[in-house]
Every structure is written in C-alpha cells, then in structure tokens.
Amino acid sequence: MSFLDPVLVIGHRGAAGLVPENTLPSFQRAFECAVGAIELDVYAIEGELLVIHDDTLERTTNGSGPLSAQPLAALRRLDAGGGWPIPLLGEVAAILPAGVGLNIELKGPDTAGPVADFLARTPVADVLVSSFEHVELRRFHALAPAVRVAPLFDRWTDRAWTIAEELGAFAINLSRRIATRERLARARELGLRTYVYTVNEPAEARTLIGNGATGIFTDFPDRITAARLDPIGADAPAAGR
Ligand code: G3P
Ligand code: MG
C-alpha cells in the first residue's frame, strides 16, 4: 500500500479507538488491521521527536501540565496507556512494516527541522508530512523538498488551493465536516490527493470515497479496512508527484 493508492485507510494515531492512541501497541494493532498507512503527531523535546497529540499531558498520560514544562527523561517515564511510554518517532519507524505508509503530523513548534533531520538519516519508504501549521510545514518543505507534504484544514478557506500550490503539496488533508464532493473533485482536477479525518463509520467512508476522497483516517481500522471502499477510479490523480 502507498499514498499513491486509489484508496488508502490510515490508522489515526495508530488504532486510537481500539488501543491507547499514539502508543506502540496502537500502531501494532493498526498494522494487524491491514492499514495502508498510520498517522501520528509529533513534538520536539530536547531534540527528540515525541509521539503525542496534545501539548498537555492529562488526557493521554498519568502526568499533568504542559509537555514543554518537563524534561525528556521525565516525559519518557510516564504511562501513555497500558504501561507503555510516549514513543519516540524512531521507535515507531522501527516497527513500521514494509509497504505501510507513515504520515507524520507536525504538532509542536519547531518540529520542521528535527523531522527533516530525522527523515534524512532514517529511511522511510513512503512518508507524508502534514500540519495545520502551514508556516511550519513550509519550513519543513524548504528543508526537505523531496518529501511529500499535505496542509491540514479543519475549517474551509478558499485560500486552501493557493496554500497547497505554494507548498507543492501532494495532498490536502480535510476534516470530514468540510470534505464536500465539490472540493474533493476540485482537488482531483488539481492533481491533489485528499485524505479525510476522522471517519469511523464504514457508510460515511464509502460515501467520501465515492465522492472522490483518496483516503480516510480512522480510529477503528478494523471496521474500515473490512468495508468495501470502491475508488471512483479512472480519473484518480496521476501517480508520481
Ligand atoms: O492528520 C489528521 C488528524 O490527525 C488531524 O487532527 O487533531 O487528530 O491531529 P488531529
Ligand atoms: Mg493528528
């Protein structure tokens, strides 16, 4: 599987609906569900890339307060679910099976440089770097122009097309609330892939794919990989970007 496939099921934070999100067992569970790719969120702390969604610790760990207020060693001793620590990006990359894509979402400030450095020294065959922070994503693109990027959009703006063009984006990643048939079609015309988050019901996944989306982020990869998702096919964006 690959980000170039006509339809890609992406395990959101691993398999966040099944196993504590952004932990190694969550990613392992997503692989067992035969996802085409996994998504994870990263912050840079003391030069290391930590895989965690929030900038505070309460929701997903037994710690509290801002992530940035604690030294890396203390963060790594926390329980992020099931006794597992907050993983490093390198630890997730090390268990990534051949043929499974990796979507790295830049969450924290100053993640562009560390992620570019990481990818320069760690071979990941099929990678997509995304962010809601388009300025940070532009910095990343300047540092690693060969790596595919995708701006994320939670609310629609007609500037999305310009933002994507300026970034040389491979895809735009859209909230399910704004992934209309018209926008999915326009993206297709522009040669952009579209990955839609977070879709947990097979019927909605089928509708989105039928409307032209090229991928789905899901917390429940067991349900979605089992669903029949037929790409609209012949006019899928051309491979090779
Ligand atoms: O990248 C898709 C999705 O993860 C974006 O939203 O808040 O779950 O990181 P969030
Ligand atoms: Mg994310």
Side-chain angles (χ1 to χ4, degrees), residues 12-13 39 41 53 105 107 132 152 197 217:
H12 186 230
R13 312 178 195 171
E39 183 262 3
D41 311 282
H53 181 274
E105 183 186 339
K107 272 291 188 227
F132 291 108
L152 272 155
Y197 69 92
F217 294 91

Side-chain angles (χ1 to χ4, degrees), residues 47-134:
E48 293 286 350
L49 289 160
L50 274 183
V51 177
I52 184 168
H53 181 274
D54 299 357
D55 60 3
T56 52
L57 294 163
E58 285 82 354
R59 187 179 63 81
T60 62
T61 78
N62 60 347
S64 62
L67 190 65
S68 59
Q70 305 225 17
L72 178 68
L75 292 168
R76 290 278 283 164
R77 283 194 294 271
L78 296 175
D79 182 346
W84 288 83
I86 303 170
L88 299 175
L89 179 59
E91 293 173 331
V92 182
I95 63 164
L96 192 71
V100 176
L102 177 64
N103 176 201
I104 302 169
E105 183 186 339
L106 308 181
K107 272 291 188 227
D110 302 319
T111 42
V115 171
D117 290 347
F118 175 85
L119 292 174
R121 60 175 194 269
T122 311
V124 179
D126 197 17
V127 66
L128 177 68
V129 174
S130 61
S131 191
F132 291 108
E133 306 300 327
H134 302 153

